[in-house]
Amino acid sequence: MSELFDAVDALLASRAALPPPPERKRLRSAHGLTIDEVATALKVRRATVSGWEAGKTEPRPPERDAYARLLDKLAELYPVVAAPAAETAPAPESPAPATLTAVPTPAQPLPTEPASADEVVRAPLEPQVPASDLADAPAAARTPASTTKQTATSRRPSARNAAPAGTPVGEGDPRFENGPLAVVDAADGQVVAYCIGGLVLDVPAKSLPSLVEWTLREAMLGQSKLSGPGRAADPLLVLTQAALERYGLPSKLSAQERDAGRIPEGHKVIKQLVRAEWKLTKRGFGPWARIYRPATGSERACVQLCIPSWNALDTRHWGEAAQLPPAELARVLGVYASRVMTPRGSTAVTGLELMTTLHPPTRASAPDENGKRTSEHNPGSLGKEPVDPAPCEAPDGHPVLADLPRFHVRGPSEKLFEEAYDWARPMTDAECTLRYLVGLDVNMAFAAGANGLTVGLGEPTHVKAPAFDPKLPGSWLVDLSHVDLSRVKAGKEWVDLDGSLLPSPFTPKGDHPEGPAWYATPTVAYAQELGYDVTPTEAWVRYDNGRYLDGWYQRLRDAYLATMADLGVSADLSPEGFLTAMDGYKARDPELGIVVAAIKATVKGGLGKLRERPRGEGWRPGERWRALERPTWRPDIRAAVISRTRVNLHRKIVKHAAFTGQYPIAVLSDCVVYAADGESPLDVLPYRDGKPLPGGFKLGINPGLVKHEGTQTVLWGEGVREQFDAPQLNFARFIKDGTVTAADNGE
């Protein structure tokens, strides 16, 4: 009988009318559910649930049935209660602004460890922050910090200042009703905070300490946690130049302050904070400052500041975001925060913090016999303690290499060298007769390389003469010089190719290996896939492993796809429609174009910080540097992602060559250049009846698919090589706009 009732319930749900989109969001929020939790339960993407709640799309069976059932049950628990008619007052002709007087509820219990290091690989932007710097920094408690009552007045901005349509709203957590962040500006004697969704708050604070108090007590800013054992994000305040002047801070840093990455400790504003019993982390008061009070129990009291005029939003990753008006800047950062996370520093820092946020090192244990919970290791995380790399994985100067002779240069048999491609070759006579060079770029290539990748979580174990296991992450010393690219397996079939026109998949420069070398697991596994035996002589393997980066990839993938969809580039376009949609897509909404660039930078920067190098400060080879104290300093994970990304690209190149006879002329990281008779990627890619070559290149917006990077003429290419006398100049570096300078050629 119960089966019949279940069938009837399912039938009713399949025909039931769904509530309007705003009601769907209200019901979810009323029960304290996040979009991620609903998406997980219904086995759909986060962006799908967001679309249902925004009214952009409607659910279809079988998800529609389950979604209808969920909303029906929530409607029973949280019915709409109409206000009694006697209590309804007529609206005044000049309505007074609403006053936000509710004090947010305390934040969830959180670890006492705040943000980790915040420096940028290869391009220093902010001072490095060691783990010891932040060990005593709490996170933000929403409790009154003074007895002075301050109010925040909310109002809708004028048409001139309103945030554009499409700005995301909060996730329904009443503690963070006004979103994750606000841009604070001062004009005409007033200080206002621009929040997401077009909301503007009047700020009564007259000093920086009172601004921090107001933020924690009344602004209702912050972001819900992204994972079960995680913690909520601290509120972020972005200070414009006018706000800096209003609160006694310099609008620009002096040359000396830029070098130090902070203002002097004796600055009057820092003295104000000290008198009010606020603290700064050891990085001091710089472009990304954190102001906190030591944690009381599980409560956090912490506010982060972002100061664009101090170069907090680097133009390489955020474009012209720092020059935007406050409302537009709030929209850009709000979209990024809602889809990725509240920025914790540069995009590189945020990319690394996202890994930790999705996989916190600890979680609460099950209650003991007294009902008490304790902190325990969170399975699938990297833990709380840093792990030293294997000697072959360590960069030069690492303490594990302290016994090597001074000035010793390690070769391939001593050092793991997994890097992205930078390869080019001279064009053949046949290729010179063609008219164009067409560049193909792989979307989110390194994010796609991280998807589904098993990486080590714990310490490495040294093994002699191991049997190679493609499922075991690690570093392997093996000779791959016998792999002949002229005859390889493509799937189950052996194919004959011109190996001289292909880059080697085993070295970043595409050179053929000459003897034993260290490789990450994906590289050695690819040699097996090509049909050749591998016999490692030794290895450093990690038996404690898992798919640590899956959630990180999914979060960034969804953010990228949702933002590109807002720009008119969806995942269901035909090849021709995709190329048309990609043409000038950033011009449709330049602010969302900034978000796309920031998401991409978050991927690359986050992976780069897994192998962060010393940044001066008197460091000497053989000494530890600050980044080594992070559990997320893991060069082996970075190497595995790059290895997989490179072999993924080579696999497509081999498939393409076997089917079409076309070979790449240049490869740079995730961009490949081919010679063709036409200007379009469709003149290169072997589409048949709208279907791409299985396992080869496919046009599309999803990570791992390709887009058009640019087209130049063959005459341009030959002319550039003659101009710089460089027969193997890498065209992929310049294919986008064709601009080449002497500096680009290394002169």
Side-chain angles (χ1 to χ4, degrees):
M1 184 65 68
S2 61
E3 295 179 358
L4 294 177
F5 288 163
D6 291 342
V8 170
D9 289 344
L11 186 61
L12 292 174
S14 67
R15 297 295 188 270
L18 295 175
E23 178 65 1
R24 301 172 194 174
K25 181 180 178 182
R26 184 193 73 82
L27 292 172
R28 173 182 59 77
S29 301
H31 201 61
L33 298 174
T34 66
I35 291 180
D36 287 324
E37 288 173 327
V38 175
T40 300
L42 299 179
K43 298 181 179 180
V44 297
R45 294 192 299 113
R46 184 183 190 278
T48 301
V49 179
S50 296
W52 296 345
E53 291 188 353
K56 295 180 179 179
T57 59
E58 288 296 321
R60 293 180 294 182
E63 292 82 9
R64 186 187 189 281
D65 304 349
Y67 191 50
R69 184 189 297 266
L70 171 66
L71 296 176
D72 183 60
K73 296 296 184 183
L74 293 177
E76 294 177 8
L77 295 172
Y78 308 99
V80 177
V81 180
E87 297 178 3
T88 305
E93 293 182 2
S94 300
T99 301
L100 300 178
T101 57
V103 178
T105 57
Q108 296 292 327
L110 304 169
T112 57
E113 297 175 17
S116 65
D118 104 334
E119 52 289 315
V120 177
V121 176
R122 301 181 183 173
L125 300 182
E126 313 100 4
Q128 184 179 22
V129 182
S132 59
D133 176 19
L134 303 176
D136 60 343
R142 314 250 172 211
T143 55
S146 74
T147 58
T148 303
K149 183 177 180 181
Q150 298 173 334
T151 60
T153 303
S154 66
R155 68 184 184 204
R156 286 289 162 186
S158 65
R160 179 175 60 87
N161 290 328
T167 304
V169 295
E171 295 295 336
D173 192 322
R175 297 173 299 161
F176 313 130
E177 181 178 320
N178 295 329
L181 55 87
V183 179
V184 180
D185 189 33
D188 302 325
Q190 286 187 314
V191 181
V192 294
Y194 292 83
C195 306
I196 64 175
L199 178 68
V200 179
L201 305 178
D202 284 335
V203 181
K206 299 185 183 301
S207 67
L208 190 64
S210 61
L211 176 65
V212 175
E213 299 271 9
W214 169 82
T215 302
L216 294 173
R217 295 179 58 196
E218 301 187 46
M220 304 181 78
L221 296 173
Q223 188 175 38
S224 301
K225 60 183 181 179
L226 299 182
S227 64
R231 69 187 187 197
D234 299 321
L236 173 65
L237 296 182
V238 184
L239 303 184
T240 66
Q241 291 193 50
L244 292 173
E245 295 173 0
R246 174 65 179 80
Y247 290 118
L249 291 164
S251 60
K252 298 280 188 180
L253 294 180
S254 66
Q256 184 177 1
E257 291 168 341
R258 284 197 303 271
D259 292 340
R262 65 185 76 186
I263 59 176
E265 293 185 5
H267 193 280
K268 63 179 182 179
V269 172
I270 297 181
K271 292 181 179 179
Q272 292 175 2
L273 293 170
V274 172
R275 285 195 297 269
E277 299 182 348
W278 290 104
K279 296 180 179 292
L280 292 165
T281 58
K282 288 186 179 179
R283 86 181 84 179
F285 203 124
W288 291 93
R290 297 187 73 82
I291 303 172
Y292 72 95
R293 283 192 177 122
T296 303
S298 62
E299 295 180 350
R300 290 171 62 84
C302 185
V303 172
Q304 179 164 310
L305 302 183
C306 166
I307 306 178
S309 63
W310 294 4
N311 200 32
L313 302 176
D314 189 273
T315 55
R316 292 169 297 176
H317 311 128
W318 288 101
E320 300 303 317
Q323 310 303 320
L324 293 174
E328 282 73 9
L329 179 56
R331 183 200 180 205
V332 168
L333 295 176
V335 172
Y336 180 89
S338 66
R339 292 177 177 174
V340 180
M341 68 178 294
T342 303
R344 300 291 296 273
S346 66
T347 51
V349 170
T350 304
L352 193 70
E353 285 296 319
L354 183 61
M355 297 180 195
T356 304
T357 299
L358 294 172
H359 283 287
T362 60
R363 67 177 184 183
S365 67
D368 58 19
E369 62 275 8
N370 297 320
K372 184 179 180 180
R373 297 177 184 268
T374 57
S375 177
E376 66 177 14
H377 173 70
N378 183 27
S381 75
L382 297 181
K384 296 182 64 174
E385 300 299 326
V387 174
D388 278 338
C392 63
E393 298 165 348
D396 294 337
H398 192 281
V400 301
L401 305 174
D403 293 337
L404 289 179
R406 192 177 182 185
F407 305 122
H408 175 74
V409 178
R410 294 185 293 163
S413 62
E414 299 173 282
K415 180 179 179 180
L416 178 70
F417 193 64
E418 295 283 10
E419 298 293 341
Y421 266 131
D422 185 357
W423 169 88
R425 63 170 176 82
M427 285 189 285
T428 65
D429 292 342
E431 289 166 341
C432 288
T433 64
L434 302 177
R435 299 178 60 190
Y436 297 102
L437 301 174
V438 180
L440 306 175
D441 182 75
V442 181
N443 294 314
M444 302 273 283
F446 294 98
N451 182 31
L453 177 65
T454 300
V455 299
L457 302 177
E459 296 182 352
T461 300
H462 189 229
V463 183
K464 286 286 189 178
F468 177 68
D469 183 353
K471 297 181 180 180
L472 185 61
S475 301
W476 310 78
L477 181 61
V478 58
D479 188 352
L480 300 181
S481 60
H482 64 289
V483 178
D484 184 6
L485 295 180
S486 298
R487 183 166 176 77
V488 299
K489 269 190 174 181
K492 296 182 180 180
E493 302 293 331
W494 285 90
V495 295
D496 294 322
L497 303 171
D498 188 341
S500 64
L501 301 181
L502 287 171
S504 168
F506 310 127
T507 61
K509 291 293 185 181
D511 301 327
H512 194 74
E514 298 179 353
W518 286 98
Y519 302 101
T521 297
T523 302
V524 185
Y526 185 57
Q528 277 191 334
E529 181 184 329
L530 292 176
Y532 292 86
D533 294 330
V534 294
T535 308
T537 56
E538 62 177 299
W540 289 89
V541 297
R542 287 174 167 82
Y543 296 108
D544 179 13
N545 54 66
R547 291 167 58 161
Y548 174 72
L549 295 173
D550 274 10
W552 182 81
Y553 159 77
Q554 291 161 9
R555 181 81 177 173
L556 291 165
R557 174 203 63 193
D558 290 351
Y560 176 70
L561 292 180
T563 309
M564 290 301 295
D566 289 342
L567 287 166
V569 187
S570 61
D572 56 357
L573 295 171
S574 66
E576 296 80 5
F578 171 71
L579 292 174
T580 301
M582 285 294 293
D583 187 16
Y585 72 94
K586 289 185 178 180
R588 296 176 199 135
D589 192 330
E591 292 166 16
L592 289 184
I594 293 174
V595 177
V596 170
I599 293 171
K600 292 179 179 179
T602 302
V603 173
K604 291 186 177 181
L607 293 172
K609 284 184 72 64
L610 292 170
R611 188 179 178 267
E612 187 171 9
R613 300 305 309 276
R615 298 184 56 198
E617 299 181 342
W619 174 83
R620 294 181 180 180
E623 298 176 345
R624 295 187 70 84
W625 59 92
R626 290 185 177 184
L628 301 188
E629 308 309 319
R630 295 195 321 252
T632 49
W633 192 85
R634 292 295 301 273
D636 58 297
I637 295 179
R638 173 186 178 273
V641 174
I642 294 177
S643 165
R644 192 162 187 245
T645 303
R646 194 180 65 245
V647 301
N648 282 350
L649 182 59
H650 194 273
R651 185 181 294 111
K652 291 180 172 62
I653 290 173
V654 168
K655 289 274 189 180
H656 186 85
F659 189 81
T660 66
Q662 295 175 315
Y663 294 85
I665 292 171
V667 184
L668 181 69
S669 187
D670 49 9
C671 178
V672 188
V673 176
Y674 285 94
D677 270 327
E679 301 179 69
S680 169
L682 292 175
D683 295 309
V684 175
L685 303 183
Y687 274 84
R688 297 294 183 270
D689 299 324
K691 296 182 179 180
L693 170 67
F697 295 106
K698 177 183 178 181
L699 289 169
I701 198 59
N702 281 301
L705 305 187
V706 298
K707 62 180 182 293
H708 185 204
E709 178 68 3
T711 295
Q712 304 296 329
T713 64
V714 169
L715 290 177
W716 164 87
E718 287 302 301
V720 168
R721 284 182 168 174
E722 289 180 5
Q723 176 184 352
F724 293 104
D725 191 22
Q728 292 181 305
L729 184 71
N730 195 326
F731 292 144
R733 195 182 305 275
F734 321 108
I735 195 72
K736 191 167 189 175
D737 60 11
T739 302
V740 188
T741 65
D744 293 328
N745 192 40
E747 296 183 11

